[in-house]
Amino acid sequence: MLRRIEALPGPFTFEPERTATIVIDMQRDFLEPGGFGAALGNDVTRLHTAIAPCAALLAASRAAGLLILHTREGHRPDLGDCPPAKLTRSPPGMRIGDPGPMGRILVRGEAGHDIIPELAPLPGEIVLDKPGKGAFWATDLEPILRHRGIEALLVAGVTTEVCVSTTVREANDRGFRCAVIGDACASYFPEFHAAALAMIHAQGGIFGWVATSSAATAALR
Ligand code: C5J
């Protein structure tokens, strides 16, 4: 049955069996004090507004039988997949791979790389490790979606203007329609969050739609 989410710039329609919910990088390193986000001087509490809306979106998506995916940004322990330009961008001692209070920063298998307990994936849900900002770059995301006949994505997570935006732009170029769930996304910079959402739905939805979690969960009921 075709569902409809009230969104900007207009209604977003989708078939649950051809739609996936993807939650981007809700990781301890970005959200908890002492992680990578905090080491870079960010106020991590700004990301906490997205937790309850993500949980509501996940619960409604699970109940409606959508494919669920979670992503984690991070690197191999040998950092072989981390471009030198990304590695050297942060000051020494706060770089990817450096020891932090939750293990090596943004390294797979470390505690800080994990998804926050409030949004822990359920058994059987897909967890994609990505070395870049976009979830399509150097991951299996595209074949996973194509093999399951997915054509639409409900997108949530952090940060709105970096990994969420990059993923939505990548998805749009590959022909996937994206509804970004605005209050289920967040940024360390509220003005970037607002601008990133506005850019998505401007110009008639130049690369997607923007909706609220209450509109999305109502459509999933
Ligand atoms: C960042 C992300 N901001 N998940 N990562 O470095 O948006």
Side-chain angles (χ1 to χ4, degrees), residues 157-191:
V158 298
T159 61
T160 321
E161 77 281 13
V162 184
C163 291
V164 172
S165 259
T166 306
T167 298
V168 170
R169 289 166 194 252
E170 289 180 324
N172 177 65
D173 280 348
R174 286 165 174 78
F176 297 99
R177 297 182 309 115
C178 295
V180 176
I181 310 307
D183 57 321
C185 298
S187 169
Y188 302 120
F189 308 95
E191 66 278 21

Side-chain angles (χ1 to χ4, degrees), residues 38-221:
L40 294 177
N42 296 301
D43 175 2
V44 294
T45 63
R46 293 219 165 118
L47 303 191
H48 295 180
T49 57
I51 298 174
C54 276
L57 177 69
L58 279 171
S61 300
R62 286 168 180 145
L66 269 60
L67 178 69
I68 311 281
L69 302 106
H70 308 257
T71 71
R72 300 184 296 202
E73 179 178 349
H75 296 276
R76 296 164 49 93
D78 63 14
L79 304 183
D81 59 352
C82 186
K86 184 176 182 186
L87 194 56
T88 54
R89 203 168 291 152
S90 309
M94 295 178 191
R95 289 184 175 162
I96 293 166
D98 285 346
M102 290 189 281
R104 294 178 67 205
I105 291 171
L106 281 192
V107 168
R108 294 176 189 166
E110 302 286 347
H113 181 257
D114 253 354
I115 292 169
I116 57 169
E118 299 92 316
L119 301 175
L122 293 186
E125 294 179 351
I126 295 169
V127 180
L128 275 174
D129 285 328
K130 63 184 184 63
K133 303 304 183 194
F136 286 84
W137 164 248
T139 74
D140 298 329
L141 179 55
E142 186 165 1
I144 288 170
L145 298 178
R146 299 245 186 253
H147 294 163
R148 293 166 189 249
I150 300 295
E151 65 88 21
L153 300 174
L154 308 184
V155 187
V158 298
T159 61
T160 321
E161 77 281 13
V162 184
C163 291
V164 172
S165 259
T166 306
T167 298
V168 170
R169 289 166 194 252
E170 289 180 324
N172 177 65
D173 280 348
R174 286 165 174 78
F176 297 99
R177 297 182 309 115
C178 295
V180 176
I181 310 307
D183 57 321
C185 298
S187 169
Y188 302 120
F189 308 95
E191 66 278 21
F192 291 174
H193 170 79
L197 295 180
M199 283 180 210
I200 291 166
H201 68 74
Q203 302 178 71
I206 189 82
F207 56 94
W209 285 255
V210 175
T212 62
S213 58
S214 55
T217 53
L220 287 162
R221 245 174 245 132

Side-chain angles (χ1 to χ4, degrees), residues 13-36:
T13 54
F14 67 100
E15 296 169 74
E17 55 282 0
R18 302 198 64 207
T19 304
T21 289
I22 181 163
V23 180
I24 306 284
D25 299 359
M26 291 296 281
Q27 292 163 255
R28 299 183 64 195
D29 253 338
F30 293 123
L31 283 111
E32 291 188 2
F36 184 54

